[in-house]
Amino acid sequence: MTFDGLRQAPSVKRQASNVTWGSSTVNDYAVEVFNLTKKFGDFTAVNGVTFNIRRGEIFGFLGPNGAGKTTTIRMLLGLLRPTGGQATVLGYDIVHQAEEIRKHIGYMSQRFSLYQDLTVSENLDFYGRTYGVRGGRLQERKRFVIEMAGLQGRERELTRNLSGGWKQRLALGAAILHEPEMLFLDEPTAGVDPISRRAFWDLLYRLAEDGTTIFVTTHYMDEAEHCQDLAFIHNGRIIAQGSPEEIKLHKMQGQVLEIDCTQPDVAITVLRQMGLFDEVALYGALIHVVAEGIAEHKPSIAQALAEVGVQVRAMDIIAPSLEDVFIANVRNNAD
């Protein structure tokens, strides 16, 4: 599933930050992270990560489960104390000023953290009061959230009866009731159907266009295409970062040959047995083969597949996808 129908993420003016660590002065960066590390005994969950997030941009933090994404978020929110390194969020130090950080950010976990026995309206009331939003302002913010999330007519519905997509929108609404400067979204689309994922990203674009900085973790590569900046994390280390275009242009090792053929399960086994390629992977019904100078291998590939009765319908060199780049960088950074 791709997100071709989504509008592009809003552009962000790129300038260098000019403030020192620990300053709460407004600058170009909402988040500054330097050599951040977290160890649990002998296990290093996050290993010296460094990155910046510009104000008003959507920043994607990509990696498989267990890569260190959630641990990084929990440190930035002041919920986990780092073992080493330093970071600021909205100018506040994550160790010494965590309470200030939490006043200015919204957080949405992958479990949505909603009360299932409360109605949509009651959940919004609860989170509004938790954030210190009361009275007329709470009613105004509730109306905004319900309209933004398309929840009109569902205000009295019990949350447990909502589908995953509606729960997702409600959780986002609860996280922005207090108009935070920045949102932290931890795997917000995990387990949600593709149509709901698409609608959710449209909501994120609206928030970013209004100036909200968004930090989103995901393992969906198609979603990452619509972030302005990305960082790939694997085994606790950042292995590539930049805009999607920069990463695909500068971080890919080798070229990608896309093969459309019959019996892809047979073909992928044969191609791997040839031992000539850096990577052979299945993308839906297509096969991606990665190697330097891949064009030179096309005749031998065609012959090997013909010998086992596989018919090749098309075989073309294509631009790498983010998933191609991620797999290549994982391979190149393997311990």
Side-chain angles (χ1 to χ4, degrees), residues 274-316:
M274 292 174 71
L276 299 173
F277 313 115
D278 295 329
E279 184 67 37
V280 180
L282 194 62
Y283 286 71
L286 303 174
I287 297 172
H288 284 194
V289 181
V290 179
E292 294 287 352
I294 191 66
E296 300 174 2
H297 296 289
K298 290 175 71 174
S300 59
I301 289 173
Q303 180 179 346
L305 295 182
E307 289 176 354
V308 294
V310 173
Q311 179 184 355
V312 175
R313 291 186 283 256
M315 186 161 41
D316 301 298

Side-chain angles (χ1 to χ4, degrees), residues 126-191:
F126 174 81
Y127 280 100
R129 289 192 293 269
T130 299
Y131 287 126
V133 184
R134 292 179 172 83
R137 182 169 178 245
L138 176 57
Q139 297 310 309
E140 178 184 344
R141 290 299 297 165
K142 280 179 63 180
R143 285 193 294 270
F144 169 81
V145 163
I146 287 169
E147 181 179 353
M148 179 206 71
L151 288 164
Q152 300 99 320
R154 299 176 183 268
E155 293 90 338
R156 297 184 179 181
E157 190 167 347
L158 286 177
T159 299
R160 66 166 175 261
N161 295 333
L162 297 176
S163 68
W166 291 114
K167 287 179 182 177
Q168 176 197 56
R169 296 186 196 189
L170 177 58
L172 178 63
I176 65 170
L177 275 169
H178 58 308
E179 299 180 84
E181 296 176 53
M182 183 168 183
L183 277 174
F184 286 86
L185 310 176
D186 191 9
E187 296 278 0
T189 59

Side-chain angles (χ1 to χ4, degrees), residues 256-273:
V256 181
L257 181 69
E258 185 175 78
I259 303 172
D260 180 7
C261 64
T262 61
Q263 304 178 78
D265 54 335
V266 175
I268 202 168
T269 300
V270 170
L271 293 169
R272 286 173 175 167
Q273 289 173 345

